[in-house]
């Protein structure tokens, strides 16, 4: 494994975050020189009438200093919000603990911004710092909570919809992020970007435990439920920066009408999907409620295109439950211990295990078209249907490959698993995972309502948007050629999906699963026990 590759916490795996400096490499990805970038970024300033819309933000000036510098020790400064997301103008509480005497909060909105990647929207005055207890684990589910008092109230009046990083700047020089989504309430005619806070929280080891490891580091002592009432570990926004940030920047650079939401918001209210042209599931979105999945499926059936820019999507079935301070602040997932889930066996559809496993099996491939198969892997991405419209302008040929693009987890079209038809495999990549030979597949299908659905089949797709640039600090050996290919393909995808149901204006899929897998070994359809054992192998 590449030494920069993230390692799945003793029960599974994942990746890392972007580096620093400018994001001008994205222009080069699209085949544009620096002069063309400057011309694009110099378009008219937004009018006051449309300044609240995300697409009005693209050409504003960005900040050069939005990245976290010194983290310091874990207790130097950390915080969390009491809402995963807010609507524009809605207030939320910020809970902060710091060893510094004071700190400030800077709200940066993520976007293109002439290649800088974020814009300063608001900054607080100095706030008195206090140290709060590290954590507590009060429940039988080993759920770690901070439960700090509210430090200050954030008002978001005038903040445009979008993804935000609240940076905590302590007066002793250390910093942390706190992510916040200012979500859209309406998505009609827009491309909806879907953020994955339930997955961020599942991997969060702040306080010593996640859904993968307990305080001892063992899988058996893991949390069975995790709380949003605690900071995120590392820099505070690692999963967002690895798997989502670069895709958001690219979408905003294209000037598409965009909307923003989260999986936990779709669980409650699918209204933002009503009339949306597309839903883009960003790079790592593993943990879904059945309600969220039902709402996304209904949107697809109504003609909303769907893209899955990662792998292992919609793999775990979760519940959202009440936390002490507010509604549904806890992500529940018993996984292989599902027989201990209070919903077993009386409410099988709510038992929190893998979607493909009983007692209410519903494999994710019926939505995504592909099935998660394994970890860890590092392999070339091999183009199969080079003449597919997704690859227009890339110049690729059948069999052309891109080193390291398949990893660290992968999906495939698995014969025997339920998939919508017609479905076309566009990339078919040989690999070896845990000693077994298999393949990763990119796949495209269309639904009866006209929606197009595309899955990349690899976890590294969004990371590849930064490969070979100063931002690609942990790009696993992927190079500029890979960046150009992935960026152009993603641009083709986003532009096509923004036009409405793809079946109405793009060529139909050419079913080829039987042809592709005629001589190949069948895929491994993992049982729950096999999946957990495979995930626990040392990387």
């Amino acid at each position: 494994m590449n030494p920069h590759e993230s390692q799945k916490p003793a029960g599974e795996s994942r990746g890392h975050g972007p580096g620093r400096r400018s994001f001008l490499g994205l222009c080069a990805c699209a085949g544009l020189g620096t002069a063309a970038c400057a011309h694009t970024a110099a378009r008219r300033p937004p009018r006051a009438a449309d300044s609240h819309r995300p697409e009005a933000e693209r050409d504003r000036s960005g900040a050069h200093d939005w990245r976290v510098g010194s983290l310091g020790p874990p207790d130097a400064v950390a915080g969390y919000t009491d809402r995963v997301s807010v609507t524009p103008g809605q207030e939320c509480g910020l809970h902060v603990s710091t060893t510094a005497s004071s700190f400030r909060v800077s709200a940066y909105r993520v976007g293109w911004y002439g290649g800088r990647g974020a814009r300063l929207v608001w900054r607080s005055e100095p706030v008195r710092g206090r140290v709060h207890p590290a954590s507590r684990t009060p429940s039988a589910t080993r759920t770690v909570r901070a439960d700090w008092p509210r430090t200050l109230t954030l008002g978001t009046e005038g903040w445009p919809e979008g993804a935000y990083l609240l940076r905590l700047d302590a007066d002793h020089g250390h910093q942390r992020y706190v992510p916040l989504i200012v979500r859209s309430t309406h998505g009609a005619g827009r491309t909806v970007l879907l953020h994955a806070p339930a997955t961020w929280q599942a991997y969060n080891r702040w306080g010593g435990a996640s859904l993968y490891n307990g305080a001892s580091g063992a899988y058996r002592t893991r949390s069975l439920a995790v709380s949003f009432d605690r900071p995120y570990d590392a820099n505070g926004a690692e999963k967002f920066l690895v798997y989502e940030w670069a895709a958001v920047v690219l979408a905003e650079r294209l000037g598409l009408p965009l909307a923003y939401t989260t999986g936990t918001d779709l669980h409650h209210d699918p209204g933002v999907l009503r009339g949306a042209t597309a839903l883009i599931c960003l790079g790592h979105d593993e943990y879904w409620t059945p309600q969220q999945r039902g709402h996304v499926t209904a949107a697809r059936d109504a003609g909303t295109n769907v893209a899955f820019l990662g792998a292992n999507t919609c793999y775990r079935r979760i519940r959202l439950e009440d936390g002490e301070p507010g509604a549904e602040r806890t992500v529940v997932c018993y996984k292989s211990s599902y027989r201990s889930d209070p919903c077993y066996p009386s409410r099988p559809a709510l038992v929190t295990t893998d979607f493909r496993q009983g007692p209410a099996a519903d494999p994710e491939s019926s939505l995504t078209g592909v099935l998660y198969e394994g970890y860890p892997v590092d392999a070339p991405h091999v183009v199969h249907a080079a003449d597919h419209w997704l690859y227009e302008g890339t110049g690729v040929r059948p069999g052309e490959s891109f080193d390291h693009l398949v990893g660290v987890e992968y999906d495939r079209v698995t014969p025997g698993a339920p998939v919508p038809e017609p479905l076309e495999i566009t990339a078919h990549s040989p690999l070896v995972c845990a000693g077994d030979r298999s393949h990763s597949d990119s796949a495209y299908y269309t639904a009866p309502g006209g929606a197009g659905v595309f899955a990349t089949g690899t976890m590294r797709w969004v990371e590849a948007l930064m490969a070979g640039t100063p931002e690609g600090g942990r790009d696993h050996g992927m190079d500029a050629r890979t960046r150009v290919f992935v960026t152009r393909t993603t641009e083709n995808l986003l532009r096509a999906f923004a036009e409405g149901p793809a079946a109405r204006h793009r060529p139909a899929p050419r079913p080829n699963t039987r042809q592709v897998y005629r001589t190949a070994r069948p895929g491994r359809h993992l049982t729950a026990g096999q999946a957990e054992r495979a995930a626990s192998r040392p990387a």
Side-chain angles (χ1 to χ4, degrees), residues 281-355:
C281 300
L282 301 167
H284 187 192
D285 197 352
E286 180 178 351
Y287 288 78
W288 290 39
T289 67
Q291 294 89 334
Q292 176 189 347
R293 179 171 172 176
H295 294 152
V296 171
T297 301
R300 177 203 64 180
D301 294 346
T304 296
N305 302 306
V306 184
F308 301 101
L309 299 187
N312 193 220
T313 303
C314 192
Y315 181 62
R316 305 284 192 188
R317 182 192 289 114
I318 62 171
R319 280 196 313 279
L320 298 177
E321 293 185 348
D322 290 347
E324 290 179 15
E328 298 190 324
R329 296 278 293 170
T330 303
V331 177
V332 180
C333 193
Y334 280 70
K335 298 201 284 189
S336 57
S337 300
Y338 65 90
R339 288 182 178 84
S340 299
D341 189 323
C343 288
Y344 181 86
S346 59
R347 292 181 288 172
L350 296 180
V351 172
T352 55
T353 186
D354 304 346
F355 271 103

Side-chain angles (χ1 to χ4, degrees), residues 381-388 390-402 425-429 481 485 489 510:
H381 179 87
V382 181
V383 174
H384 181 75
D387 60 345
H388 196 278
L390 282 161
Y391 303 137
E392 289 177 1
T394 64
V396 294
R397 301 178 301 277
E400 189 162 354
S401 65
F402 297 88
I425 294 171
T426 65
H428 185 58
S429 308
R481 174 175 163 271
F485 165 72
T489 302
R510 299 162 294 189

Side-chain angles (χ1 to χ4, degrees), residues 69-252:
S70 171
L71 293 177
D75 63 347
V77 60
Y80 61 94
T81 55
D82 55 21
R83 294 178 185 268
V84 169
S85 70
V86 294
T87 55
Q90 189 176 31
E91 292 184 344
C92 71
L94 182 62
H95 305 248
V96 177
S97 177
T98 179
T99 56
S101 60
S102 68
F103 69 95
R104 298 182 73 175
V105 185
S106 300
Y108 293 97
R109 184 186 179 279
V110 168
W112 169 238
Y113 300 119
R116 294 207 180 269
R119 177 174 79 87
L120 178 64
V121 172
W122 173 84
R123 178 168 285 157
S124 75
E125 295 298 322
V127 180
R128 181 182 177 185
R130 294 180 182 275
V131 177
H132 297 298
S135 63
R136 64 189 188 94
T137 310
S139 66
T141 56
R142 299 183 289 276
T143 302
V144 176
R145 308 168 59 90
D147 289 341
W148 298 334
R150 178 182 286 199
T151 307
L152 71 158
T153 299
L154 298 179
T156 63
E157 188 67 37
W159 294 21
E161 301 162 10
Y164 285 76
L165 292 172
L166 308 177
R167 195 181 69 196
L168 308 178
D169 298 310
D171 65 8
H172 51 34
H174 301 310
Q175 301 169 313
R176 286 291 192 289
Y177 290 126
V178 180
L180 178 69
I181 306 302
V182 178
R183 71 180 184 274
S184 309
T185 56
H186 303 287
R190 298 203 254 173
T191 294
V192 180
L193 302 184
L194 180 63
H195 297 278
T199 298
W200 307 345
Q201 197 57 252
Y203 287 89
N204 181 17
R205 290 204 65 189
W206 187 92
S210 70
L211 290 180
Y212 295 87
N213 307 93
S216 68
Y219 177 73
R220 62 181 175 77
T221 61
R222 72 194 183 280
S223 297
L224 302 176
V226 288
S227 173
F228 284 109
D229 293 311
R230 60 175 179 159
Y232 292 104
D233 59 3
N235 65 16
E238 184 183 39
K239 294 297 181 281
F240 168 81
L241 287 167
V242 173
Y243 296 114
E244 304 186 9
W245 172 73
V248 173
V249 172
L250 174 59
E252 293 215 349

